[in-house]
Amino acid sequence: MTKLSMTVNGKAVSGEVEGRTLLVQFLRETLHLTGTHVGCDTSQCGACTVHIDGKAVKSCSIFAADAAGANVTTIEGMANADGSLSVIQQAFQDCHGLQCGFCTPGMVMTSAALLADNPHPTEAEVRHGLEGNICRCTGYHNIVKAVLTASGQTVAAE
Amino acid sequence: MPKDYGIGASSKRREDVRFLTGRGQYTDDLSIHGQAHAVMVRSNVAHGKIVSIDTSAAAAMPGVLAVFTGEDFKDVGGNPAGWLIKSRNGEPMREPKRPVLAHGKVRHVGDAYAAVIAETYEQAKAAAQQIADDAVIDELPAIIDMKAAAADASNRVHDEIPDNICFDWGWIEDNRAAVDAVFKSAPHITTLELVNNRLVPNAMEPRASIGEYFPGTGDYKLTTTSQNPHLTRLLVAAFVMGIPENKLTVVAPDVGGGFGSKIYHYGEEALVLAAAKKLGRAVRWTAERSESFLSDAHGRDHVTKIELACEKDGTFLAFRTETYANVGAYLSNFSTATPTFLHGTLMAGPYKVPHVYVNVKTIFTNTAPVDAYRGAGRPEATFSLERVIDKMCRELGLDQFEVRRKNFITPDMFPYTTPVGLAYDTGNYQATLAKAIEMADVAGFDKRAAASKAKGRLRGMGLSTWIEACGIAPSHLVGVLGSRVGLYDAATVRVNATGNISVMVGAHSHGQGHETVFPQIVAERLGVPESSVEIVHGDTSKIPFGMGSYGSRSLAVCGVAMNKAIDKIVAKGKKIAAHMLEASEGDITFEDGKFSVAGTDKAKTFGEIAFSAYVPHNYPLETLEPGLEETAFYDPANFTYPAGAYICEVELDPDTGKVDVVAFHCADDFGNIMNPMIVEGQVHGGVGQGIGQALLENTTYDENGQLLTGSFMDYAMPRASDVPFYNVDYSCQTPCTHNPLGVKGCGEAGAIGSPPAVVNAVIDALHRGGMTHVTHINMPVSPGRVWQAING
Amino acid sequence: MQNFDFVKPATIAEAVKALNSGDAQALSGGQTLIATMKQGLAGAETLVSLTGIAEMKGVCQGDGGLHIGAATSHATVAREVATTYPALAKLAGGIGDPQVRNRGTVGGSLANNDPAACYPSGALASGATIVTDRREIAADDYFQGLFATALDEGEIITKVIFPIPEKAAYVKFEQPASRFALTGVFVAKFAGGVRVAVTGASNDGVFRWTEAEKALSANFSAAAISGLSVDAGNMISDLHGTAEYRANLVKVLTARAVTAA
């Protein structure tokens, strides 16, 4: 076991990890931040997406030790300071961009990173930007709509 | 002006806030003091005789607390099939025992034959590997191909079942002679052999269960990823573990999707309970995705020959089908109903076809169990019908729209009894078809096709007009059809003293939005704010009873039970109001949240009545009980029959065979709509899954029974870039005639109606491109298959 | 997964030392390796993360073309070479998905040499030089079959030098589940001739389609290869496509790449 420190959602945290401990395990089991989910074991589904130093990564595919010292943001850190939903979260609710909610944290994290990189994406850019996130409930329609809405664009196709 | 409140409003989902902020509580998110971890040991061969399982080395490994094998469960019950189907010859289906852990033989890759409980997951996993290394299992030849399995009596999935046939079912057997006679003299017969591809449900949350045992009381608690906790309680308690139902609580907290796969009871649920009792500690198990692929109940997997007899003008005379349905290695709970009563009974479609005969042979194979997956049987029926009709139109050069119109049951014919035993109560198939044609701008298709052609693409348009039977219930019907359970539902409406309301419902929400929609109905009926109503679901200790959520039944059955309980609340409220207002009960009216004496200005608000019910200082207790809480069970008179018309447009790249769905139009009749936003979302999701089935998803076992598509690396799940925006309409409404809400159900529609529309569009594109030799391509219509069809 | 010691050196020298002491495995992003380790198909006593080595990161113009640090992520390459080498940017920007591109690295991809990975075709078609801690290896000598490379035990790629062609394009046809290349073709036109490298298709991993190179060197147009045929004999045949289908894709995608270049 080695000691590990990083910043998660703006707070300094530390804990003991094994070499093999994945970042998602550290978040869920040590820090009890269970909003980040595990939906597969092959790095495909994206339910575990978090931000490391502002970039979207799959927390199931990085060892916790490899994120030592990093600035990590999880879904629990995405709401506004007053606790209200952020623009992207609000867009997901307004557009009914979630059903069972399991893939949602990853979708929100990927969408937020996408919009940070590209504030006015086209529909195709949104769809390709969500390549690493699988949703089984929504058929993606309202997720894509939510991301476009969060970018301030109106969605013509209805 | 759209409503912003109550029935028909697109109220935003209240459950979203917790999911969007990471505060959902799914089973694997829960942590119980002192919990231990279970890992299953799964067979890596499809078929094998268990010679020995030496667990001694594993038991001695660090952290290992207990080891279980099939021996530990050989004296408890098995996981039963919920429906008893009889073969054409009157014999009951063959029903092998499905043990908690495999005993004697393993019957599919992933079949669990042992389990390890350890302090940590890693320790349990390491010990499980040790058991796998130490077990001696003699591999037997795998039985994979259904027709071969039925033809070979020497190789058996279950030793007591010689031909691997579970049942050979005819529906309706008495129709058979008449149908055969029609085919002998029919002016035209179209025949199509097709595969309805096997699918892995892949709810994004893998299955998980936590067992607890409380020695002080002898109570058990199972927290599990279930679509129907009461059914799970019944199965675990009464059938498998032999513990009293009232000593077991089953909780299904937030559940990350089900699509059918979480209806059923699985062995892991019994295992964690048994282990919890043995160890006196909570025991948890969570599937890895690769385990989900191997051990969740799969869907579909039919091989069908369908024949259509018709006049030269396309008037249908008869349908005849012969289907081999794969049931896998064991009978999962609904597995025998899915290929039969959820499939054969729909084989008349929305058409006034006079003769239909359906034959289904259900076969055991060395593959994972197959059971209901979104739509369950009805997608298979719809796919067969809509594909053979499309083929017939091409053979006879007939217009696909006109042929449908000509054969539709007309609105004046309801109630309409089909030759396969259903009585459709209402519908307007002409209206949904007309709407779909308008939405899809069918008139402008040629122009769009020309634009595609200019890009080197072939454009095609496919149609599917579908119907389903859902609101899965009437106990009196399902009982006749072989169900061993009733299919009603229940709800309790509890008005608290301060006027807010808790509603305990039997339906379980795992994405459907019950926590939002059910309060809309309560609010509308009782004249209270939606925000004052809370829905309680998923906990057998809190809710009266329930048969769960599947078969588009939550609203059409449980919602109606809740509505019935609301009727009782209003009636009780009138009694209280009559007492308080010193009027006769018959003179009290209830409107907009107020109980009034008719013709006067004397009135009490709903809140005043609620408060009074719990502060009954001067009640005439002989005739008026305190309290304001009512429970209702509802068992409908009939299924509900949503229907619709779907039009899909594809673009096809003839050089690579790649198919892109460029437009998808849905005109559905769901009866009355409670929340349009949620209805649209349900259709989107269903169509997304249907496109997945049609173009992407393939479950392939090799001849040795190894699952070749055992991860998302090989099993193609639809992604955002694989689908378009969908164009959804539900304005054609013929309300259900036998439930007071007039609702029909919308959860499965998309998955039922869409696959044939996609495949018909692909065939259309190829024919328009001159490749008329291609009459069918099996799903998934992958680029490789399209290219092969073009060039083969 | 088996446990291991995790080390994250800051210099190439430290990394080489760590990799050459005992049972050690390099980790360069881990977007393939970690999934493989979860399956129990890979593992070591020590895992040496290469993504903390500053001298192995970044993109610059230098002798012989673009010098890309081996630990540079796909996302960084996609962004940084967008104007200097757009075809390579497109390749990097199309690998996996955004999250994978933020972690996966060019060195990791080339060291793994997955037969369906994108980078091997880009490196081979570009005639790239694979620079390691001890030598330089020409791409033509580097790729040696499925998951096989010229790298020795404990040798790490430190950077890759990509000559910049006059024209180039990468066209990938995705395997629908993994989104790896079912077949991908990178076409690069240099003053001295055209190089065509194909990934995802062959049982021997990435390869150069020399007949097409010859035809395209004479006439750089899609029409130039219309008369050629690709031998399906050594193509991969699997669930997602037969050998004949892949052979067809090689030709179709090559033509498209030429048109797009």
Side-chain angles (χ1 to χ4, degrees):
Chain A
M1 300 285 265
T2 52
K3 186 142 196 283
L4 169 73
S5 300
M6 64 179 79
T7 303
V8 177
N9 300 329
K11 286 186 207 139
V13 299
S14 59
E16 298 269 311
V17 297
E18 293 184 317
R20 65 182 165 184
T21 304
L22 298 165
L23 178 59
V24 68
Q25 292 173 309
F26 181 68
L27 294 171
R28 287 178 59 83
E29 293 163 24
T30 305
L31 304 182
H32 304 293
L33 293 171
T34 55
T36 302
H37 295 149
V38 178
C40 77
D41 42 20
T42 52
S43 191
Q44 303 271 306
C45 82
C48 65
T49 302
V50 300
H51 294 175
I52 296 184
D53 300 327
K55 290 185 182 132
V57 304
K58 291 177 177 175
S59 62
C60 76
S61 294
I62 172 172
F63 295 113
D66 218 355
N71 197 342
V72 176
T73 306
T74 71
I75 187 69
E76 288 91 345
M78 289 300 283
N80 296 326
D82 65 357
S84 61
L85 297 181
S86 61
V87 170
I88 181 72
Q89 288 169 317
Q90 190 60 57
F92 268 75
Q93 186 186 31
D94 291 347
C95 298
H96 188 28
L98 62 153
Q99 291 184 24
C100 83
F102 193 81
C103 77
T104 305
M107 285 288 178
V108 169
M109 300 311 288
T110 302
S111 301
L114 187 161
L115 291 177
D117 264 2
N118 181 1
H120 296 284
T122 63
E123 180 199 334
E125 287 169 340
V126 173
R127 290 187 185 276
H128 286 286
L130 295 173
E131 202 73 27
N133 292 77
I134 300 177
C135 169
R136 195 54 150 168
C137 293
T138 63
Y140 301 100
H141 182 113
N142 285 336
I143 292 175
V144 176
K145 190 174 155 190
V147 179
L148 291 170
T149 300
S151 75
Q153 305 181 74
T154 49
V155 180
E158 264 301 312
Chain B
M1 180 74 183
K3 281 182 76 174
D4 60 359
Y5 157 87
I7 290 175
S10 284
S11 299
K12 286 179 197 167
R13 297 205 327 168
R14 57 179 72 183
E15 45 272 72
D16 288 358
V17 176
R18 69 175 187 271
F19 297 143
L20 283 163
T21 54
R23 296 192 185 97
Q25 289 277 281
Y26 301 86
T27 299
D28 191 60
D29 297 341
L30 305 170
S31 192
I32 314 275
H33 179 70
Q35 64 191 2
H37 298 260
V39 168
M40 311 301 286
V41 187
R42 298 187 185 278
S43 176
N44 59 9
V45 299
H47 193 192
K49 183 176 184 320
I50 299 174
V51 178
S52 66
I53 306 172
D54 181 353
T55 61
S56 56
M61 286 173 70
V64 174
L65 301 166
V67 175
F68 292 85
T69 68
E71 278 292 310
D72 296 297
F73 293 97
K74 74 177 193 316
D75 297 325
V76 304
N79 188 359
W83 291 58
L84 173 65
I85 306 297
K86 287 188 175 153
S87 283
R88 292 161 52 200
N89 61 10
E91 283 179 17
M93 67 186 191
R94 279 81 165 260
E95 209 175 347
K97 183 175 175 181
R98 185 182 185 192
V100 175
L101 292 172
H103 188 250
K105 274 188 16 171
V106 287
R107 295 185 173 85
H108 65 93
V109 171
D111 199 4
Y113 60 87
V116 180
I117 321 296
E119 295 286 354
T120 71
Y121 170 77
E122 285 78 11
Q123 289 168 337
K125 182 124 176 157
Q129 184 59 52
Q130 187 66 48
I131 291 176
D133 293 344
D134 294 344
V136 179
I137 296 177
D138 280 354
E139 192 167 357
L140 299 167
I143 300 158
I144 303 301
D145 179 79
M146 283 193 278
K147 288 184 182 173
D152 179 7
S154 66
N155 198 9
R156 302 173 182 185
V157 177
H158 296 276
D159 295 347
E160 67 276 24
I161 301 172
D163 49 13
N164 297 305
I165 296 177
C166 179
F167 55 77
D168 177 358
W169 180 77
W171 192 253
I172 294 174
E173 198 55 26
D174 290 347
N175 291 355
R176 184 178 194 145
V179 169
D180 289 348
V182 171
F183 274 91
K184 283 210 177 81
S185 61
H188 181 83
I189 295 172
T190 295
T191 304
L192 181 60
E193 295 193 33
L194 54 86
V195 173
N196 204 287
N197 45 327
R198 186 180 183 116
L199 303 174
V200 180
N202 278 323
M204 291 318 297
E205 178 202 25
R207 285 190 296 118
S209 301
I210 304 173
E212 293 173 83
Y213 179 72
F214 305 95
T217 57
D219 288 338
Y220 294 82
K221 181 177 176 186
L222 173 67
T223 305
T224 192
T225 50
S226 176
Q227 297 176 225
N228 48 353
H230 274 98
L231 191 57
T232 298
R233 185 181 70 171
L234 179 72
L235 292 168
V236 174
F239 286 86
V240 180
M241 301 281 286
I243 53 182
E245 239 181 311
N246 58 8
K247 298 304 267 182
L248 172 63
T249 294
V250 177
V251 176
D254 287 329
V255 172
F259 315 108
S261 67
K262 294 172 182 168
I263 299 172
Y264 327 115
H265 163 52
Y266 293 88
E268 292 88 354
E269 293 169 327
L271 186 275
V272 295
L273 288 171
K277 183 175 188 193
K278 182 169 181 175
L279 297 173
R281 297 171 61 170
V283 175
R284 64 184 303 139
W285 168 81
T286 300
E288 296 179 0
R289 177 60 58 186
S290 52
E291 283 186 279
S292 307
F293 270 99
L294 295 176
S295 69
D296 288 4
H298 294 177
R300 317 282 193 259
D301 207 351
H302 287 194
V303 175
T304 293
K305 177 183 175 190
I306 180 166
E307 297 164 286
L308 162 57
C310 63
E311 303 285 2
K312 294 282 188 197
D313 70 353
T315 302
F316 302 162
L317 299 174
F319 290 107
R320 182 167 64 187
T321 71
E322 183 185 17
T323 289
Y324 284 78
N326 200 339
V327 77
Y330 301 100
L331 295 181
S332 177
N333 301 136
F334 278 26
S335 60
T336 52
T338 303
T340 53
F341 293 111
L342 296 174
H343 167 243
T345 55
L346 271 300
M347 205 52 91
Y351 308 113
K352 52 190 178 196
V353 55
H355 298 283
V356 180
Y357 176 74
V358 177
N359 173 238
V360 178
K361 297 173 181 71
T362 296
I363 312 294
F364 289 105
T365 60
N366 291 122
T367 63
V370 180
D371 206 325
Y373 166 70
R374 200 172 195 166
R378 292 148 291 175
E380 295 90 317
T382 303
F383 187 73
S384 298
L385 286 172
E386 296 305 300
R387 279 294 300 126
V388 80
I389 292 168
D390 189 78
K391 186 164 184 252
M392 179 272 277
C393 292
R394 293 184 190 287
E395 287 173 355
L396 293 176
L398 298 172
D399 177 78
Q400 57 178 340
F401 302 107
E402 199 43 50
V403 164
R404 260 71 167 205
R405 280 190 208 103
K406 185 193 297 281
N407 287 287
F408 277 153
I409 298 159
T410 52
D412 57 314
M413 296 170 80
F414 294 101
Y416 181 89
T417 301
T418 73
V420 272
L422 294 180
Y424 300 162
D425 61 335
T426 180
N428 189 341
Y429 315 131
Q430 291 77 1
T432 45
L433 177 59
K435 185 75 198 175
I437 289 172
E438 175 201 323
M439 291 162 74
D441 180 23
V442 168
F445 177 81
D446 288 343
K447 207 173 151 192
R448 295 191 295 279
S452 299
K453 199 171 180 187
K455 295 187 292 179
R457 302 293 176 99
L458 303 173
R459 198 176 187 101
M461 181 167 55
L463 171 68
S464 156
T465 49
W466 64 274
I467 187 169
E468 66 157 322
C470 70
I472 292 300
S475 296
H476 72 93
L477 272 180
V478 300
V480 171
L481 300 177
S483 174
R484 287 163 163 161
V485 293
L487 283 169
Y488 44 84
D489 223 284
T492 295
V493 177
R494 176 180 298 156
V495 183
N496 296 312
T498 50
N500 57 38
I501 300 169
S502 305
V503 186
M504 281 59 77
V505 294
H508 182 273
S509 184
H510 36 279
Q512 297 88 342
H514 299 170
E515 293 172 33
T516 300
V517 179
F518 284 24
Q520 290 180 250
I521 298 166
V522 178
E524 174 97 17
R525 292 284 324 273
L526 296 179
V528 298
E530 288 174 19
S531 60
S532 73
V533 184
E534 282 292 323
I535 298 299
V536 179
H537 64 100
D539 185 336
T540 61
S541 70
K542 292 181 180 167
I543 57 181
F545 200 79
M547 292 306 294
S549 291
Y550 44 82
S552 301
R553 70 190 302 279
S554 295
L555 192 57
V557 187
C558 187
V560 177
M562 180 184 74
N563 194 58
K564 214 173 138 189
I566 295 169
D567 290 341
K568 294 184 184 180
I569 292 285
V570 172
K572 174 80 180 281
K574 284 183 179 174
K575 265 190 180 183
I576 297 170
H579 164 68
M580 291 174 75
L581 297 167
E582 298 178 329
S584 150
E585 198 184 319
D587 291 339
I588 304 291
T589 59
F590 180 65
E591 211 173 330
D592 295 336
K594 254 196 209 160
F595 292 90
S596 313
V597 181
T600 75
D601 59 357
K602 293 206 299 185
K604 290 285 178 190
T605 64
F606 185 79
E608 289 172 310
I609 295 294
F611 186 73
S612 154
Y614 291 94
V615 190
H617 286 160
N618 61 353
Y619 269 28
L621 296 172
E622 300 76 20
T623 54
L624 186 59
E625 273 181 37
L628 192 52
E629 170 170 331
E630 298 289 349
T631 295
F633 281 62
Y634 172 69
D635 199 331
N638 194 351
F639 298 109
T640 61
Y641 300 98
Y646 287 4
I647 294 177
C648 174
E649 273 187 41
V650 299
E651 269 192 350
L652 188 156
D653 178 345
D655 294 332
T656 64
K658 177 114 183 347
V659 173
D660 292 313
V661 175
V662 291
F664 205 101
H665 309 277
C666 306
D668 290 308
D669 175 4
F670 296 132
N672 291 338
I673 301 292
M674 299 293 112
N675 181 319
M677 176 190 82
I678 284 178
V679 168
E680 288 169 20
Q682 289 294 311
V683 176
H684 296 160
V687 173
Q689 282 174 309
I691 292 173
Q693 169 165 28
L695 297 180
L696 295 164
E697 297 179 42
N698 194 7
T699 310
T700 304
Y701 286 93
D702 71 10
E703 70 277 14
N704 298 316
Q706 295 294 329
L707 181 61
L708 300 180
T709 50
S711 81
F712 292 147
M713 293 291 281
D714 284 303
Y715 187 90
M717 292 283 280
R719 319 275 176 106
S721 59
D722 295 319
V723 293
F725 279 126
Y726 318 103
N727 187 9
V728 173
D729 179 273
Y730 39 82
S731 64
C732 302
Q733 297 178 359
T734 61
C736 172
T737 59
H738 55 81
N739 72 51
L741 295 174
V743 295
K744 293 183 170 180
C746 64
E748 297 161 298
I752 293 169
S754 58
V758 176
V759 178
N760 288 346
V762 172
I763 301 299
D764 187 55
L766 292 171
H767 280 234
R768 287 171 191 271
M771 284 156 272
T772 51
H773 65 285
V774 183
T775 56
H776 181 66
I777 302 175
N778 274 325
M779 300 187 291
V781 181
S782 62
R785 285 184 180 178
V786 173
W787 183 81
Q788 212 77 45
I790 292 172
N791 294 286
Chain C
M1 154 185 344
Q2 288 295 313
N3 202 13
F4 50 82
D5 289 327
F6 181 88
V7 296
K8 194 170 182 178
T11 66
I12 292 171
E14 285 169 30
V16 170
K17 192 174 166 207
L19 279 166
N20 287 285
S21 38
D23 175 24
Q25 160 78 48
L27 173 75
S28 187
Q31 299 306 284
T32 300
L33 181 61
I34 293 175
T36 313
M37 292 173 72
K38 286 180 190 173
Q39 291 177 281
L41 299 176
E45 283 171 16
T46 305
L47 224 60
V48 183
S49 173
L50 304 179
T51 49
I53 301 171
E55 58 188 307
M56 277 174 59
K57 285 182 160 182
V59 179
C60 64
Q61 296 250 28
D63 286 348
L66 284 169
H67 291 225
I68 303 180
T72 310
S73 71
H74 307 323
T76 301
V77 173
R79 193 173 57 243
E80 305 249 322
V81 309
T83 52
T84 47
Y85 195 169
L88 189 66
K90 189 179 170 222
L91 176 149
I95 294 172
D97 55 57
Q99 297 97 308
V100 165
R101 293 195 287 274
N102 282 332
R103 291 292 303 166
T105 64
V106 55
S109 175
L110 292 176
N112 190 46
N113 192 21
D114 187 303
C118 296
Y119 257 120
S121 66
L124 188 58
S126 302
T129 301
I130 318 297
V131 182
T132 76
D133 59 288
R134 60 199 71 165
R135 57 180 168 151
E136 296 191 352
I137 310 171
D140 283 318
D141 302 324
Y142 176 82
F143 299 104
Q144 301 191 347
L146 305 187
F147 300 102
T149 69
L151 291 176
D152 290 331
E153 197 75 3
E155 182 175 13
I156 56 173
I157 304 172
T158 57
K159 74 174 169 188
V160 186
I161 302 170
F162 285 88
I164 302 175
E166 292 169 1
K167 286 180 169 184
Y170 178 63
V171 178
K172 165 167 129 176
F173 193 88
E174 287 180 345
Q175 193 260 53
S178 69
R179 313 271 155 156
F180 274 71
L182 187 68
T183 294
V185 178
F186 201 109
V187 171
K189 180 180 185 295
F190 292 91
V194 175
R195 292 169 68 101
V196 177
V198 180
T199 188
S202 166
N203 282 319
D204 293 332
V206 66
F207 72 97
R208 285 174 64 187
W209 186 17
T210 47
E211 291 147 294
E213 290 182 351
K214 204 169 148 195
L216 291 168
S217 295
N219 172 13
F220 193 70
S221 74
I225 59 161
S226 63
L228 301 183
S229 65
V230 180
D231 179 13
N234 200 28
M235 294 285 156
I236 297 169
S237 198
D238 64 13
L239 280 179
H240 304 288
T242 59
E244 292 72 25
Y245 179 61
R246 280 186 168 83
N248 168 67
L249 282 182
V250 170
K251 185 170 163 181
V252 169
L253 302 184
T254 301
R256 288 182 183 181
V258 170
T259 305

